[in-house]
Amino acid sequence: MHALTVENASKTYKSPPRPPLKAVDNLSLHIPEGQIYGLLGPNGAGKSTLISMICGALKPDPETGSIRIFDKDVVRQTDQAKQLLGIVPQEIIVEPAFTVEEVLYYFSGMYGVPQAERRKRIPELLESLGLADKQHDKARSLSGGMKRRLMIAKALIHKPRLLILDEPTAGVDVSLRQRIWELVRQLNAQGTTVIFTTHYLEEAEQLCESMTVINKGKVIKEGKVKEIQQEFSQNIISFELYQSEVEHLAGVRRVGVEFELPFRDLVQDMRGLLDFYGDNLKSFRNEAASLEKVFLQLTEGGPTP
Amino acid sequence: MTFMWALYAREVKRFRKLMLDTVFSPIVSMVLYLTVFGVVVSAKSIGDISFLAFIYTGLLAMIMVNSGFSNPGFALIIAKNLGSILDLQVTPLRPWQIGIAYSLAALTRGLFTLSVALALTVWFIPGMTIAHPLSLLAIVLITGLQYGMLGVTFGIWAKGFEALTFGTTFVMQPMIFLAGVFYPVGQLPAPWNLISQFNPIHHTVNLFRYSFVGYADTAPLISWAAVLGCSTLFFGLMQWMTLRKLAESLQ
Ligand SMILES: Nc1ncnc2c1ncn2[C@@H]1O[C@H](COP(=O)(O)OP(=O)(O)OP(=O)(O)O)[C@@H](O)[C@H]1O
Ligand SMILES: [Mg+2]
């Protein structure tokens, strides 16, 4: 079963006098159960808009096909769909009036978690997020990183099967980032499907098996992280020269201190490269392109495959 | 039920944390009104009740209307500004459940304030008895809920604090002051006496006064019809607004 199915979702923001903006444009996604899945895209790609439609905070355009969480339609079976979903929004939101415990106590109540169960779950969850000693503190008094963890606690308190994190590690220090990754892996091992958005490609490489890259509201690439990397690295030989200020082979690009040559046939083009530069060639490799590179090519490079 | 109950409990907790502002400040205003208008001109009487008893009962109605309206109004606008409105959008609460939970919290705040007001001010009117206790209970409960529902409608609709201040200053306050809290509406010159009949708060004030001291400007049955009609209307408005706007209120 798919943990998340999005079929032909669109969202147009109408805020006159500005022209309408199609933030999500006929976008479809099928995310299998049990994965850690990355949703990548530059600023303004439409990731948060998509997530708002999934969680019920935003009405999709009328022509939208359907959005389903474990096959429960978010419009027609909204209660069941919402029970299956936990959401950590991009923005940190804290209610100044309440303590950490109160925030979680009332929020889980709104999911229908019985009172005795709430009293049991809250300390456990805070313990696992390293917030145990903050239970009775005002949520407002927490540090930024702690607030972020409180947001994660809110998303987990009703034990959802699908967890969506919108840029969980933005503005978070290295150790907390590691900790969030660890938590995500742990939850996934226990059977939770996790979807997260990020700008850090390192994060996608480290954490997820598959990913979707979106730009301007459309899917521009999806598949296994490894395969996307390979597809884009296959066509490039990177090399260094002792002496750079020389005549170059047609098609060679300079990238920092290195050069890149897109190729069609590895053996043949390699031979051409050796013949052309001869002893000037210091090193060469056909490495897996970093996701950064893939990402830039996908989102800024001309026509996409 | 847990769902709604949790939201209701949260909203009650919220106003209890700000008790000074939410419960005591209306009582201070009430005491000031009573002192200025009531004690100073206490010699007068209206019908067979004293002027003091007249405005006292009107002020109690005003407290109930104000608490009802402003509790959900402020809570929802703050939630929109903070972004915590998301809590209402992602949890499996139906719009009507959200509306009712907020309205019940508004009623609870009204009851809180009303009890404290009664306890603190009853000595202004020595020997006061309640003419129609059941009717009083009914109008108190209905008023809290009714203006709670109006407050929810307004809170969901309003874009920001300016809109709320506008609503309070330019709509609610004039309606309250023209409802006959401080004077008998029947004695107004035409066409104001007629226009007052279309002010829903007039009927609330009228029924509070009738239930307390047995005096009515307008026939109680007419007022009951108006109050019940308005409650239905406010409920409908609240339903319509929450259904239409809740999913869009982040925009
Ligand atoms: N409430 C809104 N009203 C009007 N336009 C909006 C609104 N929210 C987002 N947009 C626009 O929709 C587009 C997509 O925004 P969105 O927040 O979904 O992007 P994103 O992929 O989450 O970006 P980021 O990585 O910066 O968080 C942007 O052009 C943004 O300006
Ligand atoms: Mg975003």
Side-chain angles (χ1 to χ4, degrees):
Chain A
M1 200 195 308
H2 285 117
L4 175 68
T5 312
V6 176
E7 278 167 0
N8 307 97
S10 295
K11 178 68 203 180
T12 311
Y13 287 114
K14 296 193 187 85
S15 32
R18 275 174 293 157
L21 173 77
K22 203 152 195 180
V24 172
D25 189 356
N26 200 21
L27 183 146
S28 298
L29 270 182
H30 300 269
I31 296 178
E33 185 176 358
Q35 294 214 352
I36 303 180
Y37 198 96
L39 202 57
L40 282 81
N43 286 133
K47 304 179 295 293
S48 300
T49 303
L50 177 65
I51 291 173
S52 296
M53 288 194 285
I54 295 168
C55 75
L58 209 55
K59 272 203 193 89
D61 286 351
E63 69 266 25
T64 291
S66 79
I67 300 177
R68 300 192 299 278
I69 296 163
F70 291 99
D71 263 344
K72 305 288 180 215
D73 190 288
V74 298
V75 178
R76 267 167 286 139
Q77 294 157 294
T78 176
D79 294 357
Q80 288 150 294
K82 283 173 172 176
Q83 289 289 2
L84 293 165
L85 174 69
I87 183 117
V88 183
Q90 184 169 3
E91 313 284 337
I92 292 178
I93 302 163
V94 282
E95 290 222 54
F98 297 119
T99 66
V100 169
E101 180 177 29
E102 286 165 347
V103 166
L104 294 171
Y105 180 76
Y106 294 122
F107 193 60
S108 52
M110 287 160 69
Y111 277 105
V113 181
Q115 214 156 11
E117 180 64 26
R118 284 186 250 168
R119 294 261 175 247
K120 194 164 82 62
R121 255 186 229 179
I122 291 170
E124 284 173 9
L125 190 57
L126 289 176
E127 181 70 49
S128 76
L129 286 164
L131 287 175
D133 55 332
K134 301 288 175 189
Q135 186 165 348
H136 303 291
D137 289 14
K138 279 253 154 65
R140 183 170 46 177
S141 73
L142 300 182
S143 77
M146 293 172 187
K147 284 179 187 154
R148 177 77 68 184
R149 276 178 276 165
L150 175 58
M151 299 296 293
I152 297 177
K154 273 178 85 177
L156 293 174
I157 193 80
H158 63 295
K159 305 206 161 153
R161 283 171 69 194
L162 170 63
L163 176 68
I164 301 185
L165 304 124
D166 197 355
E167 287 180 43
T169 55
V172 145
D173 74 11
V174 184
S175 87
L176 180 54
R177 190 186 307 175
Q178 297 285 351
R179 206 160 162 172
I180 292 176
W181 289 1
E182 197 42 54
L183 180 78
V184 163
R185 288 200 187 98
Q186 235 174 55
L187 285 166
N188 184 249
Q190 291 158 12
T192 313
T193 308
V194 182
I195 301 175
F196 68 94
T197 74
T198 179
H199 293 137
Y200 302 116
L201 295 151
E202 182 197 359
E203 204 158 55
E205 273 177 306
Q206 294 262 348
L207 276 178
C208 42
E209 203 181 313
S210 311
M211 67 175 201
T212 291
V213 182
I214 69 175
N215 193 26
K216 301 200 172 106
K218 287 192 160 81
V219 172
I220 53 176
K221 194 81 206 165
E222 63 189 319
K224 300 240 179 288
V225 176
K226 289 266 147 49
E227 283 168 15
I228 294 177
Q229 262 176 311
Q230 262 162 28
E231 180 180 332
F232 281 81
S233 59
Q234 270 162 10
N235 343 334
I236 289 171
I237 304 170
S238 299
F239 58 94
E240 274 183 288
L241 296 175
Y242 288 107
Q243 176 53 259
S244 322
E245 309 307 322
V246 293
E247 191 111 339
H248 288 290
L249 202 61
V252 166
R253 293 197 294 262
R254 187 172 195 147
V255 182
V257 295
E258 286 190 338
F259 295 88
E260 284 181 355
L261 174 66
F263 64 88
R264 283 207 193 78
D265 181 283
L266 181 59
V267 178
Q268 202 181 322
D269 285 307
M270 204 66 209
R271 223 169 253 149
L273 192 76
L274 282 166
D275 289 347
F276 188 86
Y277 292 104
D279 287 345
N280 194 15
L281 204 56
K282 189 175 169 188
S283 68
F284 58 85
R285 65 188 190 281
N286 167 27
E287 42 123 35
S290 79
L291 264 179
E292 296 292 342
K293 238 178 237 170
V294 175
F295 190 64
L296 282 176
Q297 276 184 42
L298 277 172
T299 56
E300 280 166 13
T304 48
Chain B
M1 271 321 274
T2 315
F3 304 75
M4 254 169 92
W5 185 252
L7 179 57
Y8 164 77
R10 188 185 83 173
E11 292 311 306
V12 169
K13 187 84 175 186
R14 189 193 307 282
F15 80 72
R16 288 187 44 209
K17 289 197 176 216
L18 302 166
M19 202 76 121
L20 206 61
D21 207 34
T22 55
V23 173
F24 289 100
S25 86
I27 292 168
V28 172
S29 328
M30 175 175 181
V31 171
L32 289 176
Y33 281 129
L34 281 178
T35 315
V36 173
F37 291 103
V39 180
V40 176
V41 283
S42 64
K44 263 184 76 177
S45 67
I46 289 169
D48 34 351
I49 61 163
S50 72
F51 186 62
L52 198 61
F54 182 88
I55 60 168
Y56 183 67
T57 48
L59 286 169
L60 292 176
M62 178 167 131
I63 281 185
M64 209 61 201
V65 169
N66 265 336
S67 312
F69 180 77
S70 54
N71 202 59
F74 272 101
L76 283 165
I77 286 178
I78 290 172
K80 279 204 242 180
N81 272 22
L82 282 177
S84 59
I85 191 92
L86 191 68
D87 289 359
L88 303 180
Q89 297 168 320
V90 301
T91 48
L93 279 159
R94 296 294 166 82
W96 68 267
Q97 293 176 311
I98 293 172
I100 296 293
Y102 271 90
S103 309
L104 281 172
L107 167 65
T108 309
R109 169 163 152 195
L111 289 175
F112 234 84
T113 317
L114 198 71
S115 324
V116 180
L118 278 171
L120 289 180
T121 56
V122 78
W123 48 268
F124 269 94
I125 327 276
M128 196 168 83
T129 54
I130 295 171
H132 306 284
L134 275 183
S135 161
L136 180 66
L137 184 67
I139 191 64
V140 164
L141 296 181
I142 289 175
T143 303
L145 277 177
Q146 181 186 3
Y147 288 94
M149 295 190 292
L150 190 65
V152 173
T153 312
F154 202 83
I156 297 267
W157 170 79
K159 285 256 190 293
F161 285 101
E162 305 83 58
L164 188 68
T165 320
F166 179 88
T168 311
T169 318
F170 293 97
V171 182
M172 292 304 286
Q173 291 309 334
M175 274 183 28
I176 290 173
F177 280 88
L178 299 176
V181 174
F182 301 104
Y183 54 84
V185 160
Q187 290 176 13
L188 284 178
W192 296 104
N193 53 358
L194 195 69
I195 291 173
S196 298
Q197 297 294 324
F198 290 97
N199 179 351
I201 301 177
H202 162 65
H203 297 284
T204 303
V205 169
N206 192 44
L207 286 174
F208 261 81
R209 196 169 280 140
Y210 168 75
S211 311
F212 255 109
V213 293
Y215 172 93
D217 275 341
T218 303
L221 266 181
I222 294 181
S223 285
W224 273 119
V227 163
L228 293 177
C230 260
S231 302
T232 317
L233 177 72
F234 291 173
F235 178 76
L237 278 176
M238 176 179 85
Q239 260 306 85
W240 179 71
M241 193 58 85
T242 38
L243 272 173
R244 207 171 67 93
K245 274 278 182 110
L246 200 60
E248 300 296 328
S249 50
L250 282 182
Q251 283 186 42

